[in-house]
Amino acid sequence: MAVRKILKIGNPLLRQTSEDVTESEIQTKDFKKLIRDMFETMRHAEGVGLAAPQIGVMKKLVVVGQDDDNGRYPGTPEVPNQIILNPEITPLSPPGEGFWEGCLSVPGMRGFVERPDKIRMKWRDENFQEHEEIIEGYRAIVLQHECDHLFGVLYVDRLKSTKLFGYNEDIDTAGKLLD
């Protein structure tokens, strides 16, 4: 296993659409190593999720997982470890109250994003088995954020206001006042 370099905003790969993962490639040693490396990279960076494009692999692959004591997002619920291939998300609610999102590809910054807090997600797992689930709350926010990477979208593209974006040490994430 290895910690991979995480690409930062400005790298053109982060703005590209990824390719679907095929059933034949999930059975390779390289693919299994990629998944292990992604989990290790995510944990090393104290992330909640990591999309393959963030390490320069242009495939529709996301890993997520967070204990309930994550230092970057205190007070958020646990997110189970999960491998997601070729996801499709359908919003089932209008954008919710919003969340101060951060991203391993936009280090040291946060921005306020309003996303639907109830979604239907279809995906394949690491065995290429199909799944469909209605997901709500924090986990729905995390999955939307990570899956956006597969289509070249970063959370900064979804900011409610540029006034609600800044460095972690300078931004007041306790409130949502615009002025």
Side-chain angles (χ1 to χ4, degrees), residues 68-116:
D68 58 4
D69 62 348
N70 182 287
R72 288 185 67 224
Y73 296 101
T76 55
E78 182 176 338
V79 174
N81 286 343
Q82 189 172 20
I83 299 163
I84 298 162
L85 310 175
N86 307 334
E88 297 175 25
I89 292 177
T90 304
L92 298 178
S93 68
E97 291 185 24
F99 184 76
W100 285 97
E101 294 187 21
C103 181
L104 300 176
S105 291
V106 188
M109 302 188 87
R110 292 286 166 106
F112 194 78
V113 178
E114 294 178 345
R115 297 182 188 266

Side-chain angles (χ1 to χ4, degrees), residues 14-178:
L14 291 173
R15 296 309 191 159
Q16 294 180 14
T17 298
S18 298
E19 298 176 5
D20 282 345
V21 174
T22 64
E23 188 170 8
S24 61
E25 69 189 306
I26 67 165
Q27 298 164 7
T28 66
K29 284 185 200 176
D30 286 343
F31 194 80
K32 292 174 190 211
K33 181 180 182 322
L34 171 62
I35 289 172
R36 288 191 306 270
D37 288 355
M38 286 180 66
F39 272 112
E40 185 167 338
T41 301
M42 177 186 74
R43 289 186 182 112
H44 181 264
E46 298 181 337
V48 178
L50 185 70
Q54 291 181 273
I55 59 169
V57 177
M58 303 313 295
K59 288 292 187 172
K60 290 182 181 170
L61 164 62
V62 165
V63 299
V64 296
Q66 167 188 296
D67 296 330
D68 58 4
D69 62 348
N70 182 287
R72 288 185 67 224
Y73 296 101
T76 55
E78 182 176 338
V79 174
N81 286 343
Q82 189 172 20
I83 299 163
I84 298 162
L85 310 175
N86 307 334
E88 297 175 25
I89 292 177
T90 304
L92 298 178
S93 68
E97 291 185 24
F99 184 76
W100 285 97
E101 294 187 21
C103 181
L104 300 176
S105 291
V106 188
M109 302 188 87
R110 292 286 166 106
F112 194 78
V113 178
E114 294 178 345
R115 297 182 188 266
D117 61 0
K118 184 176 183 180
I119 60 172
R120 173 179 290 115
M121 189 169 86
K122 296 179 184 179
W123 76 97
R124 291 187 179 271
D125 64 21
E126 65 275 18
N127 299 311
F128 221 66
Q129 297 299 307
E130 263 189 71
H131 298 270
E132 181 173 341
E133 183 180 353
I134 293 176
I135 302 164
E136 297 185 64
Y138 177 66
R139 184 169 163 235
I141 303 301
V142 168
L143 291 169
Q144 289 172 85
H145 173 109
E146 295 306 330
C147 291
D148 269 355
H149 283 293
L150 307 178
F151 300 93
V153 177
L154 298 173
Y155 83 91
V156 297
D157 303 323
R158 299 192 183 278
L159 292 173
K160 174 155 176 78
S161 165
T162 56
K163 294 178 181 179
L164 296 172
F165 175 67
Y167 288 99
N168 291 341
E169 64 268 11
D170 295 325
I171 193 103
D172 176 13
T173 59
K176 295 180 270 189
L177 298 177
L178 295 175

